[in-house]
Amino acid sequence: MTASMISLDRSASAKTSDNRLTNAKSDSCKSSSCGSTAKPDDMDPATWEKIKDHPCYSEEAHHYFARMHVAVAPACNIQCNYCNRKYDCANESRPGVVSEKLTPEQALRKVISVANEVPQLSVVGIAGPGDACYDWRRTKATFEKVAAEIPDVKLCISTNGLALPDHVDELARMNVDHVTITINMVDPQIGAKIYPWVFYNHRRYTGIEAAEILHKRQMLGLEMLAARGILVKVNSVMIPGVNDEHLIEVNRWVKERGAFLHNVMPLISDPAHGTYYGLTGQRAPRAIELKALQGRLEKGAKLMRHCRQCRADAVGLLGEDRGKEFTLDHIPDAVSYDERNREAYREVVARERGNHAAAKSEAIEMVKAAGPDGSLHVAVATKGGGRINEHFGHAKEFQIYEASPRGIAFVGHRKVEQYCRGGWGDDATLDGVIVALEGIDIVLCAKIGDCPKKRLADAGIRAVDSYTYEYIETAISMVYATEFGVDLLTGTA
Amino acid sequence: MAFKIIASQCTQCGACEFECPSGAIELKGENYVIDPKKCTECEGAFETQQCASVCPVPKTCVPA
Ligand code: SF4
Ligand code: SF4
Ligand code: SF4
């Protein structure tokens, strides 16, 4: 199999001969960009090597690479007020939720099937539904099996941190480069409002005492990981009135102790989920409150803005979940790993991301040079690969960018209900999409029908489908230039 | 004396299974069950019954 047979398109099967790269007009390598890398200037090469294929740790990588979570660790040693592990709903997308718990053997079968079918796969993670470090025997058995079959896949875990210090050495030995710790407080008074109990040293602790133990173990684990050069992402759940202001201090603490990324996520507290917070009416933060807090944290540990709070059994690129295609009943009893698809895909990406990086910096320079003090909020429909390649009606989320004299910045994503299903669009759904796109000036997509286009226009949002297959940043820079009436430098496309 | 698991409330997380010092808890088909002949109520091993202390669902590991 040759590299040219692999598509960057997430939905294309690896076996397709339809080469979208050629359509994407990037195969002709620009002499200026050959050999360039996508490494940001302010990052050392060793760190870049660790994160460059990890969709959660690198915003750039999330356009190209996919993760999968295997739900092998259902047991947990603490209780969080936002978690109810009994609940599962196939339409629900949130951490801790799974449809199917796996044994390590079943997990290996699933990983191999996904690796064969989804060449974008680069990370296998264990994120519950319980705690990966507490349920250590299953976590370890799974990692050992996967590493033996697919040595180049990255392994990562999520943990509440309580049992983490006991396993740091083994994590290092197993080449686990990435660990996510959920840290919601550094003040046990606040912790007592989030955690009703912890189970530690064979007994249950409650109240401040419980939060103190958890806090000490989290800080110890973080320091131990940082000392071994393992990258740590800290996840914090923003709970209005409980820890929202406090997260500024959490950010400072974790930055001082070497956390690589800080990811602030909104509380999910739907009463239907049966969590303590859901049942007691604790509200979730509004999108604008989350954005404001992230803005205030900007100077601390580096923030992650592309988290999708995915299910503990999610499969695929971050904006999608193909988990349902890979449940055990869809997987043959005997599977064998075929490395060709993934290898071919990686070759394509290596070439492609150099071109993308060059196009991106060119586009950003252009927007900066354009000079006016205009600002544009752009929503992009994409299937991955960093390009505008998704139909408006097929998008389940839009990636949001802001273009201003400071350049082009990714600010996050907004989930929507898919508007077009099997050829017909539903008006009520379109209303919902329009609400979700509040504040957006322009939507960039591969294609859009006249009717939704007009409805968007009535709501003050312009939809543009003339940049199909173009790089996201390049298209934004062109729109920006048109918008603010500046002449573009020639030779950009 | 022994403990038992109320199957209808259990989430099948398995935490009780690996915390039980007596090896009394096993997954039988869909459910975790406590073998009353093996359960010691953790007497002599720990201060509290491990299954009840770790179980995330209240009143699920209870005296039989
Ligand atoms: S929950 Fe967030 S951090 Fe974890 S895999 Fe999903 S996007 Fe990445
Ligand atoms: S009470 Fe103790 S010995 Fe009995 S089942 Fe529970 S953990 Fe095991
Ligand atoms: S700890 Fe409780 S919920 Fe978990 S398996 Fe045991 S009885 Fe069931």
Side-chain angles (χ1 to χ4, degrees):
Chain A
M1 172 159 301
T2 63
S4 64
M5 289 179 72
I6 292 283
S7 164
L8 277 169
D9 188 329
R10 73 168 180 206
S11 56
S13 130
K15 285 140 201 132
T16 183
S17 57
D18 161 24
N19 179 2
R20 267 162 236 219
L21 261 189
T22 321
N23 297 344
K25 52 180 165 173
S26 76
D27 243 7
S28 54
C29 174
K30 282 194 224 164
S31 53
S32 62
S33 65
C34 260
S36 79
T37 75
K39 182 180 91 61
D41 296 335
D42 56 353
M43 192 176 290
D44 72 272
T47 307
W48 174 242
E49 202 44 49
K50 280 188 183 153
I51 69 161
K52 75 183 194 353
D53 297 346
H54 197 308
C56 301
Y57 281 73
S58 157
E59 193 260 304
E60 197 262 345
H62 106 280
H63 293 291
Y64 300 109
F65 289 104
R67 50 67 179 111
M68 71 179 288
H69 289 159
V70 285
V72 294
C76 193
N77 49 359
I78 72 175
Q79 182 64 51
C80 305
N81 279 336
Y82 47 76
C83 176
N84 172 10
R85 277 169 287 132
K86 209 174 166 84
Y87 178 90
D88 165 47
C89 162
N91 298 318
E92 197 37 50
S93 172
R94 70 193 162 95
V97 173
V98 290
S99 298
E100 193 173 61
K101 290 164 191 161
L102 305 173
T103 64
E105 293 73 25
Q106 291 168 330
L108 176 65
R109 254 167 64 207
K110 179 164 169 169
V111 171
I112 291 175
S113 312
V114 172
N116 289 346
E117 295 283 324
V118 183
Q120 295 95 330
L121 182 73
S122 68
V123 176
V124 171
I126 300 179
D131 186 78
C133 281
Y134 175 57
D135 215 337
W136 181 248
R137 287 173 317 164
R138 290 162 190 257
T139 296
K140 186 176 172 205
T142 305
F143 278 168
E144 282 173 350
K145 286 178 199 297
V146 170
E149 289 287 331
I150 314 180
D152 72 302
V153 88
K154 287 190 184 301
L155 305 172
C156 77
I157 62 162
S158 281
T159 175
N160 60 45
L162 184 59
L164 172 63
D166 302 337
H167 304 297
V168 169
D169 285 327
E170 268 179 294
L171 287 167
R173 219 177 309 130
M174 290 195 292
N175 286 323
V176 174
D177 279 338
H178 306 84
V179 173
T180 298
I181 317 176
T182 302
I183 301 180
N184 296 318
M185 54 89 199
V186 292
D187 175 355
Q189 303 276 353
I190 291 172
K193 297 182 194 154
I194 304 172
Y195 305 101
W197 56 263
V198 309
F199 182 80
Y200 182 62
N201 273 347
H202 301 290
R203 60 168 277 216
R204 184 181 282 209
Y205 294 83
T206 56
I208 306 245
E209 203 184 357
E212 249 159 27
I213 293 169
L214 181 61
H215 167 61
K216 288 207 182 92
R217 300 284 290 171
Q218 288 178 332
M219 295 302 130
L220 176 63
L222 169 56
E223 284 164 6
M224 289 173 75
L225 290 168
R228 285 161 182 77
I230 296 174
L231 296 181
V232 180
K233 169 156 72 64
V234 170
N235 275 355
S236 297
V237 181
M238 177 181 179
I239 311 161
V242 176
N243 73 346
D244 43 355
E245 282 296 315
H246 180 59
L247 288 181
I248 291 170
E249 197 170 340
V250 171
N251 182 272
R252 192 157 43 80
W253 277 62
V254 301
K255 189 191 180 191
E256 278 166 16
R257 284 161 185 76
F260 177 71
L261 264 184
H262 191 191
N263 175 26
V264 178
M265 311 175 297
L267 172 70
I268 298 172
S269 66
D270 185 333
H273 300 160
T275 63
Y276 174 83
Y277 280 150
L279 297 174
T280 54
Q282 168 65 51
R283 74 173 179 92
R286 295 196 300 275
I288 188 168
E289 293 173 309
L290 177 67
K291 191 165 181 262
L293 179 64
Q294 286 173 334
R296 291 169 66 192
L297 296 177
E298 204 78 279
K299 288 176 206 75
K302 200 172 153 38
L303 283 194
M304 169 178 182
R305 289 182 182 270
H306 60 283
C307 178
R308 304 299 201 280
Q309 293 185 281
C310 25
R311 293 165 60 94
D313 55 6
V315 174
L317 293 172
L318 290 197
E320 68 178 358
D321 186 356
R322 299 176 59 185
K324 279 184 221 139
E325 295 167 46
F326 295 100
T327 50
L328 285 180
D329 50 331
H330 289 95
I331 298 175
D333 289 338
V335 287
S336 67
Y337 176 50
D338 177 351
E339 76 270 351
R340 287 173 303 179
N341 285 341
R342 288 182 66 244
E343 269 172 20
Y345 179 77
R346 294 171 103 81
E347 277 171 36
V348 174
V349 170
R351 208 156 12 108
E352 173 69 5
R353 79 198 306 189
N355 289 343
H356 183 190
K360 181 175 168 181
S361 50
E362 207 174 315
I364 290 176
E365 283 319 307
M366 221 153 58
V367 166
K368 283 186 182 162
D373 33 27
S375 131
L376 261 194
H377 287 85
V378 185
V380 177
T382 175
K383 295 179 190 186
R387 295 178 185 274
I388 296 167
N389 52 7
E390 178 74 295
H391 291 208
F392 175 79
H394 295 169
K396 294 199 189 83
E397 64 166 37
F398 289 90
Q399 303 209 358
I400 311 299
Y401 289 78
E402 194 174 336
S404 73
R406 275 168 290 135
I408 301 172
F410 173 78
V411 289
H413 64 95
R414 297 198 194 160
K415 285 190 179 128
V416 295
E417 212 184 305
Q418 200 177 329
Y419 154 65
C420 177
R421 291 171 194 277
W424 51 276
D426 172 1
D427 265 2
T429 314
L430 184 54
D431 289 340
V433 176
I434 289 174
V435 170
L437 291 176
E438 189 195 344
I440 297 297
D441 302 301
I442 290 184
V443 174
L444 295 175
C445 55
K447 206 172 171 43
I448 181 168
D450 288 338
C451 170
K453 192 170 184 171
K454 175 159 185 321
R455 293 278 313 281
L456 282 170
D458 291 344
I461 303 166
R462 273 161 298 156
V464 178
D465 59 4
S466 44
Y467 297 106
T468 308
Y469 286 121
E470 195 52 85
Y471 284 124
I472 293 170
E473 292 84 1
T474 305
I476 292 175
S477 71
M478 295 201 260
V479 169
Y480 190 84
T482 321
E483 200 66 12
F484 297 102
V486 272
D487 278 337
L488 283 183
L489 311 164
T490 44
T492 50
Chain B
M1 289 299 285
F3 265 53
K4 67 173 180 194
I5 290 169
I6 311 291
S8 61
Q9 306 200 71
C10 170
T11 69
Q12 278 93 33
C13 73
C16 56
E17 181 194 19
F18 65 78
E19 293 294 352
C20 174
S22 318
I25 306 181
E26 239 188 301
L27 187 62
K28 289 235 167 87
E30 298 273 281
N31 298 309
Y32 280 95
V33 284
I34 296 177
D35 180 345
K37 291 198 287 292
K38 289 190 184 160
C39 173
T40 60
E41 292 202 354
C42 295
E43 195 112 358
F46 300 109
E47 276 166 39
T48 60
Q49 285 83 24
Q50 297 296 287
C51 54
S53 305
V54 74
C55 181
V57 196
K59 301 198 183 75
T60 296
C61 297
V62 291

